[in-house]
Amino acid sequence: MPPIKFGAAMVASSLLCCGYSGAQTTVPTHCTAAERTFITAKMQKVHTSKVGITYSSTGKVLSICINPQGPTITQMTYRYGAPGNVEFDQSASTVSKMAIFTRSTTPHTGENIISFNQGSFHYYVSDALGQGSGVSLVVFGNGKKITDLFSGTDEGTDFYSLRDEFDFDAIKSPVLVRKAPVDDLK
């Protein structure tokens, strides 16, 4: 069975069927008034044990900010920290591009992945598609997973995404490149 393609039409139809409100009112963002918020999410630490998965609040927000010019994204910036206090940011440039990639994870779910490197660290921001929901941040240092965060699944309260406005397979940008993750995100 071929992998499911998650185009803008499929995402839009799944959002309409599931009562997507489009409201970002309860999710803070690090994006400025001159930028559009592509993704913003309240991040929780993921705790995995033999009995299951639990989450604990970090009090931090992850934001991906863009400057679109029609179908072209001319600027993309990752920002992370407590609301109103950016602790780390990374902007894509024509010299240091961010990578984008879309993939199926199961027959009914997929994810858009935005990634970049900072020295020996690899950052992966995943926005769930299809029947999946939520935003993940996974960071690898020297090939080992060192950070595993998740937003929660309630769009509009836990996270906000413009995924329904941009088809990842059709994005044009001088600061982005299509590239699969080099680390195992499972």
Side-chain angles (χ1 to χ4, degrees):
M1 180 173 178
I4 295 172
K5 294 290 280 179
F6 292 96
M10 180 179 180
V11 172
S13 66
S14 69
L15 293 173
L16 289 172
C17 84
C18 301
Y20 171 71
S21 68
Q24 181 190 336
T25 56
T26 61
V27 186
T29 184
H30 292 298
C31 300
T32 69
E35 299 170 316
R36 282 194 74 193
T37 299
F38 189 74
I39 296 171
T40 195
K42 299 175 189 174
M43 301 311 295
Q44 303 176 73
K45 186 166 177 54
V46 177
H47 306 279
T48 305
S49 68
K50 292 180 182 178
V51 293
I53 298 173
T54 58
Y55 305 96
S56 61
S57 177
T58 63
K60 310 277 174 97
V61 173
L62 172 155
S63 297
I64 300 288
C65 309
I66 61 171
N67 183 4
Q69 301 294 318
T72 302
I73 294 176
T74 58
Q75 170 263 328
M76 181 176 277
T77 302
Y78 164 96
R79 294 188 182 105
Y80 181 83
N85 184 24
V86 174
E87 298 169 18
F88 175 68
D89 69 347
Q90 177 78 28
S91 291
S93 70
T94 55
V95 175
S96 180
K97 297 182 180 194
M98 288 186 178
I100 59 173
F101 190 72
T102 299
R103 68 180 184 178
S104 296
T105 52
T106 73
H108 303 287
T109 61
E111 59 190 351
N112 286 333
I113 302 169
I114 299 168
S115 63
F116 63 91
N117 299 335
Q118 178 67 31
S120 63
F121 298 97
H122 300 171
Y123 290 74
Y124 299 96
V125 177
S126 301
D127 186 12
L129 300 172
Q131 293 178 356
S133 185
V135 174
S136 297
L137 170 63
V138 178
V139 181
F140 285 82
N142 297 315
K144 181 181 176 188
K145 187 187 292 186
I146 59 172
T147 301
D148 191 4
L149 304 176
F150 181 66
S151 64
T153 60
D154 187 7
E155 187 160 9
T157 301
D158 297 328
F159 73 98
Y160 168 81
S161 172
L162 283 181
R163 77 174 98 62
D164 58 319
E165 289 188 32
F166 290 90
D167 179 354
F168 245 48
D169 292 327
I171 288 177
K172 295 176 176 74
S173 175
V175 298
L176 301 175
V177 63
R178 292 186 201 304
K179 183 179 174 187
V182 295
D183 297 292
D184 183 5
L185 299 182
K186 293 179 189 173

